DNA sequence: TACATATATTCGGATAATCGAATATAGTTT
DNA sequence: AAACTATATTCGATTATCCGAATATATGTA
């Protein structure tokens, strides 16, 4: 039985992954998991130019990973769903375990 | 206190996300979660040309998301860590919930 | 060895992502 | 309104990704 062709949900799913697929955006998400923050606060924390942070935040916003709220002239961004952090944490654990396995393989073959 | 600059782990983390960021690769992973499969079997299931499947599998292999094992002239691919499916499932749930929220927002404003 | 099957790779072109630099917009204060 | 602060956007160039088509490699078999 052939699978249905790539359906809409799968495209959206891939879009979410794409939004996560940048080291700066991952840092932004972890920073927002801590607490909501202004754009400038994020830029300073991560040592990035403000326009760069804004552009990354837009991408995260378009995927409904963060929300924004005005606070005077500033805009406060917050994480929309903390399960995204669980997702990132699990992925990181999978990655670390894979690296450990590879490292063991190397040792077992006398490459340590 | 400024964060450390983007460290190695974060780059690897982003690479994993990047590997997940394609609808065809997501389908491949779900298909392999079911059971290990040959390249051709995957290609037929997903109605994709064999070279396309091979290229996607290489990307997944490079990120240690799948492993391959020879079986005669065929090569059997399998999922390396099933937690990746948990990750994908949670992401999909987050996505569906976000879509539901958006849909409710539209209705509440008379756009239904 | 010759042939068949299964998988992997390369090439070229199209599409998309990212960044720095410059600039535009929105809200606040005087 | 003018000046200021915070945020967002655009532009142009660079780099990365993806695909179809063609081809190469590897294993098994006659």
């Amino acid at each position: 039985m052939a699978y249905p062709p790539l359906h809409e949900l799968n495209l959206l799913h891939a879009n979410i992954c794409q939004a996560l697929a940048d080291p700066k955006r991952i840092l932004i998400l972890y920073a927002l998991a801590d607490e909501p923050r202004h754009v400038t606060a994020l830029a300073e924390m991560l040592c990035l130019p403000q326009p760069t942070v804004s552009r990354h935040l837009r991408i995260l916003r378009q995927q409904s990973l963060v929300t924004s709220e005005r606070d005077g002239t500033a805009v406060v961004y917050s994480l929309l769903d903390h399960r995204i952090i669980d997702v990132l944490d699990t992925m990181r654990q999978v990655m670390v375990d894979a690296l450990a396995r590879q490292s063991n393989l190397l040792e077992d073959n006398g490459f340590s």
Side-chain angles (χ1 to χ4, degrees), chain A:
Chain A
M1 39 164 171
Y3 257 43
L6 317 170
H7 47 290
E8 189 71 16
L9 266 191
N10 247 307
L11 284 174
L12 297 175
H13 200 164
N15 288 342
I16 303 258
C17 292
Q18 179 61 41
L20 300 178
D22 182 284
K24 296 171 186 173
R25 289 197 288 271
I26 292 176
L27 284 176
I28 289 174
L29 288 172
Y30 274 117
L32 293 182
D34 189 19
E35 59 178 349
R37 295 180 198 275
H38 294 179
V39 178
T40 305
L42 287 170
E44 285 176 2
M45 275 182 72
L46 309 176
C47 305
L48 294 172
Q50 173 268 320
T52 295
V53 174
S54 265
R55 273 178 311 204
H56 283 301
L57 284 169
R58 177 172 55 172
I59 292 171
L60 294 173
R61 199 167 5 99
Q62 285 168 341
Q63 296 303 322
S64 296
L65 296 175
V66 302
T67 42
S68 57
E69 191 184 356
R70 272 230 165 253
D71 172 24
T73 66
V75 175
V76 185
Y77 277 84
S78 26
L79 204 59
L80 199 55
D81 190 328
H82 276 258
R83 284 176 295 179
I84 281 297
I85 298 300
D86 300 339
V87 162
L88 288 175
D89 283 342
T90 303
M91 273 183 31
R92 199 177 273 259
Q93 194 56 55
V94 168
M95 177 179 74
V96 167
D97 291 351
L99 289 173
R101 266 196 304 276
Q102 286 171 23
S103 162
N104 285 338
L105 272 184
L106 290 180
E107 285 175 19
D108 292 352
N109 291 84
F111 282 98
S112 74

